[in-house]
Amino acid sequence: MTKSFDLLVFDWDGTLMDSAAHIVHSIQAAARDLDIDFPGQERARYIIGLGLVDALTFLFPSLPRADYPHLADRYRHHYLAGAQDLALFAGADAGIRSLHATGFSLAVATGKSRQGLDRSLTASGLSAFFHASRCADEGLPKPHPDMLMYLMKALGAEPRRTLMIGDTTHDLEMARNAGVPALAVGYGAHPRSSLEAHVPLACVMSFAELTEWVRQNA
């Protein structure tokens, strides 16, 4: 069967890695360290996938910008303290290996830093299966289309032959801004209702369902 897409671009946190709850915990713990009001679960989950400055501005609008580096340092401290316990979603390891073997070009577009993504790729054992990646500290963060534009140019893919796969509205907005179709995953950071409001091609509820959808439709 002829493929509809050449390039599959995955978000990382909440799409491949089951890390949303730990990110929320780390944000809240960092805020407590600085004795500032910390955001609730829904508000904290909303910023997953954004660049660091955009995330902090949204969560702590009254915090002086001069305090952002200290808050970011405390976030990293708490995140790294529990990072070794994070795992890929069930089916993600086998799914990525299978899609790679099928002949798709695979890439990652993430709000993580380059250092953070490289650490996660190595720990997960998936680094060899992705042909390219782009991080928030290497260009413009989501929902700006910069990440997708970079990856498509690097891998020689056209927008109509590229599929963005992510668990947040930031991923879907980035895809729309780049003229790229999107597949939503409803098991990550943002609720399914918010994702479906952006009219993705579909919204899957497990990585096994994601892999099967791609096999049938991509």
Side-chain angles (χ1 to χ4, degrees):
M1 185 175 73
T2 302
K3 297 202 304 287
S4 299
F5 300 103
D6 302 312
L7 172 60
L8 308 180
V9 181
F10 290 84
D11 171 59
W12 188 263
D13 290 306
T15 300
L16 290 166
M17 183 69 72
D18 188 4
S19 50
H22 182 58
I23 291 172
V24 169
H25 163 77
S26 301
I27 291 168
Q28 294 175 333
R32 283 194 293 268
D33 288 349
L34 271 64
D35 197 27
I36 56 179
D37 291 337
F38 58 85
Q41 289 274 336
E42 183 177 354
R43 188 171 178 83
R45 291 176 78 90
Y46 174 79
I47 60 86
I48 294 174
L50 293 177
L52 181 59
V53 173
D54 289 340
L56 295 180
T57 300
F58 178 82
L59 290 176
F60 308 101
S62 61
L63 186 70
R65 291 180 71 91
D67 291 338
Y68 282 0
H70 189 195
L71 182 61
D73 285 343
R74 295 312 300 164
Y75 166 77
R76 294 188 189 98
H77 167 80
H78 290 290
Y79 182 86
L80 291 174
Q84 70 277 3
D85 297 324
L86 297 177
L88 297 169
F89 283 104
D93 182 85
I96 290 297
R97 292 169 186 265
S98 173
L99 294 172
H100 181 273
T102 302
F104 290 105
S105 291
L106 304 182
V108 174
T110 177
K112 299 178 82 66
S113 67
R114 168 52 58 189
Q115 183 179 27
L117 178 62
D118 286 349
R119 185 188 304 115
S120 293
L121 283 169
T122 299
S124 69
L126 291 182
S127 58
F129 300 97
F130 289 101
H131 300 88
S133 58
R134 189 70 165 173
C135 300
D137 60 351
E138 296 174 321
L140 296 170
K142 303 171 186 179
H144 193 281
D146 176 73
M147 290 187 192
L148 283 174
M149 301 302 288
Y150 171 87
L151 292 169
M152 288 188 289
K153 182 177 180 180
L155 296 174
E158 299 177 8
R160 66 182 182 83
R161 302 281 301 177
T162 299
L163 180 67
M164 178 64 207
I165 303 170
D167 68 307
T168 71
T169 56
H170 315 308
D171 297 314
L172 304 187
E173 289 172 6
M174 177 177 65
R176 181 189 63 207
N177 292 338
V180 167
L183 175 66
V185 301
Y187 54 76
H190 287 190
R192 182 171 186 168
S193 58
S194 297
L195 299 170
E196 289 181 334
H198 285 73
V199 198
L201 296 179
C203 184
V204 297
M205 297 305 293
S206 70
F207 208 92
E209 186 181 347
L210 185 162
T211 305
E212 184 60 26
W213 188 95
V214 171
R215 287 175 178 157
Q216 296 293 326
N217 299 278

